[in-house]
Amino acid sequence: MRFLLLASVLLLTLSTSAQHFFLFAGTYTTGKSKGIYVYDFNANNGEVGLISFTDSAANPSYIAISANGKYVYAVNEISRSQAGLVAAYAFDAQTGTLKLINQQSSGSENPCHLSLTKDGKWLTVANYTGGSLAVFPLSENGSIQPFTQHIVHTGKGANPQRQEKPHVHSTFFSPDEKLLLTPDLGTDKVNVYQFNSNQQKPLKPADIQFLKANPGSGPRHLEFTPSGKYFYVVEEITGTVTAYQYNNGKPKAIQTIATHAADFKGQPGSADIHVSPDGKFLYASNRGEENNLAIFSIDTNTGLLTTAGYQSTLGNHPRNFMIDPTGNFLLVANMRSNNMVVFKRDKVTGLLQQTSQQIDIPSPSCLKMLPK
């Protein structure tokens, strides 16, 4: 009996500790920000506690964490005469602190997004103002080597104020990492590249070289479902989401749906997009006049979306958000109101409920988590 009680206590302790995560927040450093912030996140109750921060980078507005949890990579979203920077950090899980390893030129101006391969050998970066993407080999110690490939997009879109030239906004690997998809807000395309990790220059145009978005829509970010059968592209300028079926590396558009209510008359400003861990719901953030999250249910048989509701982000300019790995909570980074807000998720309806957790943080722009 005593053994069973001890085993039960141990199991409960392990279960509880497994619900804690390191929460990383990238920011813009033009104000009072210290760079990248590290928090403890408790997925049992949604509580957030500050651990550390680093001020060794300028505008680390987007970050990525290596699969082994040892390294953190961040863009330095700056516009110099030639290019911005991308930085590598070593992460000490014992102390929850970051230490700068090195920096490299991003190849062009204002890098705004990056992605890592699962094996931690390659890093891809999107340069917004430069309209380009770059590919970097990574060393075993986590350091970034100079890029081996730099691809500059060409063309423009239908909106002369926003789409006067290419604006590569993000780079995403397909689940099998055979393709790299790069939403380009400036050209209304999602450019598609084959990826071969064994080549010094791993990218070449795919059989389907691009997906053409609706004119003036401005593709920004995308996310695959856990099944890998579908992915969704959020389009910033028109405030829409386009759903794609994904079959053997061949994407096919199946639906476009608005991220705002039918009676909304303002200027959309959609930003980020995420699918819940169970693949049943999709969320998209709206900035500008809306400052909310659009909530959609996903038909897992067809990939089609149905609007389920909207939730105020309780702040201004929700540039980025994330769903914690347990699916219990959704966290929003409101950049202009300098706050991070934690919402409780209803896993049955997908709807969100306000909690008591609102964290003051200067200009938050990206949230990521790592299991403790």
Side-chain angles (χ1 to χ4, degrees):
M1 184 69 177
R2 178 180 287 179
F3 174 78
L4 289 175
L5 180 61
L6 181 62
S8 297
V9 171
L10 180 61
L11 197 62
L12 180 60
T13 302
L14 290 173
S15 174
T16 302
S17 63
Q19 300 294 301
H20 281 259
F21 299 85
F22 289 110
L23 167 62
F24 298 82
T27 68
Y28 283 93
T29 55
T30 50
K32 298 180 179 180
S33 170
K34 298 296 183 180
I36 302 173
Y37 292 73
V38 183
Y39 299 87
D40 171 76
F41 178 74
N42 186 339
N44 295 301
N45 55 25
E47 291 184 353
V48 179
L50 179 64
I51 299 175
S52 68
F53 55 79
T54 176
D55 56 2
S56 56
N59 291 342
S61 63
Y62 200 89
I63 58 179
I65 306 169
S66 63
N68 62 15
K70 293 182 178 180
Y71 306 109
V72 174
Y73 297 89
V75 299
N76 291 171
E77 190 176 339
I78 54 180
S79 178
R80 294 181 171 178
S81 59
Q82 294 182 337
L85 299 170
V86 57
Y89 295 84
F91 179 63
D92 186 336
Q94 296 298 315
T95 61
T97 57
L98 293 163
K99 182 179 180 181
L100 180 66
I101 300 174
N102 77 325
Q103 294 174 311
Q104 293 286 358
S105 166
S106 69
S108 194
E109 295 177 276
N110 288 315
C112 62
H113 187 274
L114 45 76
S115 290
L116 290 163
T117 54
K118 296 169 188 173
D119 61 9
K121 293 182 178 180
W122 292 95
L123 174 72
T124 60
V125 175
N127 294 297
Y128 181 82
T129 302
S132 70
L133 63 146
V135 187
F136 301 80
L138 300 176
S139 302
E140 289 187 7
N141 67 355
S143 63
I144 307 170
Q145 300 178 37
F147 60 80
T148 60
Q149 200 165 9
H150 180 233
I151 299 172
V152 181
H153 287 182
T154 60
K156 58 183 179 179
N159 185 324
Q161 283 75 41
R162 298 291 311 279
Q163 299 178 307
E164 78 291 356
K165 64 177 184 176
H167 293 299
V168 181
H169 218 307
S170 55
T171 62
F172 289 93
F173 287 99
S174 60
D176 59 10
E177 296 188 344
K178 291 182 178 179
L179 296 179
L180 184 75
L181 297 92
T182 61
D184 189 323
L185 181 145
T187 62
D188 287 325
K189 292 179 180 178
V190 177
N191 288 269
V192 185
Y193 299 92
Q194 290 184 18
F195 179 79
N196 185 339
S197 63
N198 296 319
Q199 300 292 323
Q200 183 185 20
K201 295 183 177 182
L203 296 181
K204 68 177 183 179
D207 293 338
I208 299 175
Q209 296 186 12
F210 63 87
L211 310 174
K212 186 63 178 173
N214 290 325
S217 59
R220 181 183 171 99
H221 281 197
L222 66 82
E223 182 148 304
F224 279 83
T225 58
S227 69
K229 294 180 179 179
Y230 307 98
F231 67 89
Y232 303 90
V233 179
V234 65
E235 294 151 345
E236 175 179 335
I237 301 173
T238 53
T240 47
V241 172
T242 296
Y244 289 85
Q245 187 179 60
Y246 188 72
N247 185 17
N248 293 323
K250 297 179 180 178
K252 177 185 176 183
I254 55 175
Q255 180 191 23
T256 296
I257 188 170
T259 62
H260 46 267
D263 59 356
F264 175 69
K265 303 300 182 182
Q267 174 60 51
S270 296
D272 201 14
I273 188 166
H274 292 290
V275 176
S276 59
D278 60 11
K280 294 181 179 180
F281 296 95
L282 179 139
Y283 302 80
S285 62
N286 292 308
R287 300 167 296 174
E289 300 171 32
E290 296 177 273
N291 292 312
N292 67 8
L293 293 169
I295 306 168
F296 304 92
S297 61
I298 300 174
D299 186 322
T300 55
N301 293 317
T302 65
L304 297 177
L305 302 174
T306 302
T307 301
Y310 303 91
Q311 172 64 52
S312 167
T313 63
L314 305 179
N316 187 357
H317 207 80
R319 186 178 177 88
N320 177 255
F321 68 95
M322 72 165 296
I323 303 167
D324 85 278
T326 70
N328 292 331
F329 295 93
L330 185 150
L331 295 79
V332 182
N334 291 305
M335 191 185 79
R336 290 181 181 167
S337 53
N338 304 308
N339 68 328
M340 177 169 55
V341 182
V342 180
F343 293 93
K344 177 71 175 175
R345 282 190 67 244
D346 186 318
K347 294 183 180 180
V348 176
T349 66
L351 300 180
L352 304 174
Q353 180 180 353
Q354 181 180 349
T355 70
S356 61
Q357 292 295 299
Q358 287 200 38
I359 293 83
D360 294 332
I361 174 174
S363 305
S365 59
C366 181
L367 304 175
K368 299 285 183 179
M369 282 190 192
L370 175 69
K372 277 195 167 184

